[in-house]
Amino acid sequence: MPNNDFRRLRGSRSPAEFAAAVRRAAREIGEQVACDARYIGRVEAGEIRCPNYAYERVFLYMFPGLTLADLGFSAREAVRGRGARTTTTPSHSDEESDVLRRAFMTSGTATMAAASLGLGTAPGASATARAPLADVSGTPGTHRRVGEAEVSAVEDAVRQIRLLDDRHGADGLYKRAGQPLRTAYALLDASTTSRRSMADRLHTGAGELALSVGWLAHDSGRFDDARSHYAEALATARVAGDAALEAHAFSNSAFLARDTGRPREAVRAAQAGQRAARLVASPRLLSLLTLREAGGWAGLGDRPGCEQALARAKALFERGTAEADPEWMSFFGEAELEGLEAQCWSALGDWARAARHARRAAALQDPHFTRNLALYSAELADDLARAGAPDEAAAVGEGVLDLLEEVQSSRVRTMLSETTRVLLPHRRSPSVSPFLTRHANTSRSSA
């Protein structure tokens, strides 16, 4: 049923104009929502019967004195489980979702998590053995008790995504990872547990899964999707009072803001993440968030601000690892420290200095993190090209092309394409020409 009340509140503004007003209101109260015209259309069409907690706070702030019912939404308890879905004919996507739910319900192993991602095969996960939606969400007004198997399945899905992303990049994973994420949030919304520790793990697992899927979107160039997933994770963190998850969400949001040309937002998000991270006894987490801040200052062209943040980040990094370091920070070692500093100097136009740090990053990188090795090498090639070393840039670029036979990352490919444009004036060089030709052929074959 269409939400006519909400449509009336929009008034004469277009969906895009109203979405912009929602985003402005969110910023005013410290929320992050990825609202666009499509979201407004879904609300008005009645597809979204009750907004998530972040949107709820924004809408009630925009329309003081009104309730969710006044805005045309249903009460949250009335849309749990089956009632949260619009009545439609079951689709292939619905059937796929049921298989994934069954995977989450029947095993907590990494093998089953891989099956739920569509990345492997596991006993009992065949398309002919589908569990009904009620197996997770129950009938309206009922709940499903969560146990170790369900929570472990969510956690293992997060680990599986990160493992595959580290080795192969995001492009081939993003679409397959969406279904486990929806399953995790359906489980979170429909479940109950008498154990606080289990509920906390489920919230954290769902939030981390949202961040992992958001990162896959980010790395594959789907920036609007990434922003939406990061905002969902941040809302989950705040509902659960999980400072570590909140810091992670702000870290990813700052990274995304920098990559999408919003350096001031990157600084603000990184600083907000540092405030949350102070509740976690992890100097390395604070170091990473301070590096995110440095990247924002560099994007603003503020060299003193960047240098100060870099100095703080290095001092925090040198304090070493701690028991409270989050599991997801396994990538953050000396190589990543060098790589992020290289990005700062690159943004400030100090190409030679950027190349020195990028070279160290590539040399220090654990071969397990194949995607990051490709990333650091692509950064090095670009810095060298801009620093006036075209022959060396082309040689490094050849190595990146070798890695791209295994790694699927739109971000790395985009960086390499930028490097080829910088090298075009040197296309007659016997060292540069073969690289440009091979890059052009690779781009055509992957188009």
Side-chain angles (χ1 to χ4, degrees):
M1 177 182 293
N3 186 338
N4 295 321
D5 292 332
F6 194 91
R7 173 64 187 88
R8 282 192 291 272
L9 289 169
R10 175 161 66 86
S12 61
R13 289 173 288 185
S14 71
E17 290 170 337
F18 190 73
V22 172
R23 295 194 299 272
R24 284 195 300 272
R27 288 193 293 270
E28 289 171 8
I29 62 172
E31 286 293 349
Q32 289 196 24
V33 296
C35 190
D36 57 14
R38 182 175 57 180
Y39 179 89
I40 299 301
R42 291 182 63 207
V43 171
E44 293 179 358
E47 294 179 21
I48 297 175
R49 294 178 54 195
C50 184
N52 67 27
Y53 291 101
Y55 275 104
E56 177 182 346
R57 286 189 286 271
V58 175
F59 292 151
L60 295 181
Y61 170 75
M62 291 177 69
F63 303 105
L66 299 185
T67 65
L68 281 182
D70 297 328
L71 300 177
F73 293 111
S74 300
R76 193 171 303 282
E77 60 269 20
V79 295
R80 291 187 181 276
R82 187 183 298 272
R85 299 173 60 87
T86 54
T87 303
T88 58
T89 302
S91 65
H92 174 70
S93 176
D94 295 327
E95 293 175 349
E96 236 184 7
S97 183
D98 288 342
V99 175
L100 293 163
R101 289 188 180 93
R102 184 172 184 274
F104 274 113
M105 292 306 100
T106 56
S107 175
T109 65
T111 301
M112 188 60 76
S116 74
L117 282 167
L119 301 170
T121 302
S126 68
T128 58
R130 296 189 170 95
L133 182 62
D135 278 2
V136 172
S137 56
T139 56
T142 64
H143 301 283
R144 174 181 171 82
R145 187 167 297 279
V146 173
E148 178 65 31
E150 292 89 345
V151 175
S152 293
V154 175
E155 294 170 340
D156 286 339
V158 175
R159 295 186 184 102
Q160 187 76 359
I161 289 173
R162 288 174 182 160
L163 175 66
L164 293 168
D165 174 52
D166 287 340
R167 293 179 178 173
H168 305 296
D171 287 10
L173 297 173
Y174 175 60
K175 290 183 178 178
R176 283 180 282 174
Q179 286 290 344
L181 177 61
R182 286 187 284 275
T183 300
Y185 271 94
L187 178 62
L188 182 65
D189 192 51
S191 64
T192 182
T193 175
S194 59
R195 294 172 56 189
R196 176 63 185 270
S197 61
M198 195 69 69
D200 288 346
R201 282 177 59 195
L202 183 58
H203 271 93
T204 298
E208 290 293 348
L209 191 55
L211 289 171
S212 292
V213 176
W215 166 247
L216 296 180
H218 184 166
D219 194 48
S220 57
R222 299 172 173 91
F223 297 135
D224 288 343
D225 288 352
R227 191 175 178 86
S228 178
H229 290 309
Y230 293 166
E232 188 73 25
L234 181 59
T236 301
R238 288 179 167 172
V239 167
D242 188 330
L245 180 60
E246 182 172 345
H248 190 185
F250 274 124
S251 175
N252 283 28
S253 297
F255 194 6
L256 179 64
R258 191 212 66 174
D259 278 1
T260 53
R262 301 191 304 275
R264 195 168 299 281
E265 181 181 326
V267 170
R268 289 197 296 265
Q271 291 173 341
Q274 290 169 55
R275 290 192 292 272
R278 290 190 184 102
L279 301 175
V280 184
S282 172
R284 287 285 171 94
L285 177 58
L286 274 169
S287 175
L288 177 59
L289 284 155
T290 308
L291 284 166
R292 299 285 190 233
E293 180 186 345
W297 290 125
L300 289 167
D302 187 338
R303 189 182 184 108
C306 177
E307 289 178 333
Q308 290 169 15
L310 284 173
R312 295 199 311 273
K314 290 177 183 177
L316 287 162
F317 186 87
E318 289 169 2
R319 289 169 61 181
T321 59
E323 187 176 345
D325 290 344
E327 182 180 341
W328 60 268
M329 288 188 64
S330 60
F331 74 96
F332 185 53
E334 194 173 353
E336 181 71 5
L337 178 70
E338 294 286 350
L340 291 176
E341 182 166 359
Q343 292 173 10
C344 288
W345 296 119
S346 179
L348 290 167
D350 192 338
W351 310 114
R353 193 167 183 176
R356 288 198 298 273
H357 287 282
R359 192 188 306 280
R360 289 189 202 124
L364 290 166
Q365 182 56 60
D366 184 333
H368 165 80
F369 295 98
T370 314
R371 193 274 320 285
N372 278 1
L373 181 59
L375 174 66
Y376 301 147
S377 299
E379 290 173 349
L380 175 58
D382 194 65
D383 293 334
L384 289 168
R386 297 175 190 275
D391 293 345
E392 189 178 0
V396 174
E398 289 275 6
V400 177
L401 288 174
D402 291 340
L403 290 168
L404 286 177
E405 294 177 5
E406 181 180 354
V407 173
Q408 299 178 47
S409 171
S410 295
R411 188 161 60 117
V412 173
R413 286 200 302 272
T414 298
M415 291 174 63
L416 203 59
S417 294
E418 290 294 329
T419 303
T420 62
R421 282 190 276 274
V422 176
L423 290 175
L424 277 177
H426 307 278
R427 58 186 173 274
R428 291 186 176 84
S429 165
S431 300
V432 175
S433 179
F435 165 64
L436 294 179
T437 300
R438 182 183 172 195
H439 179 268
N441 291 337
T442 301
S443 298
R444 280 195 294 269
S445 65
S446 61

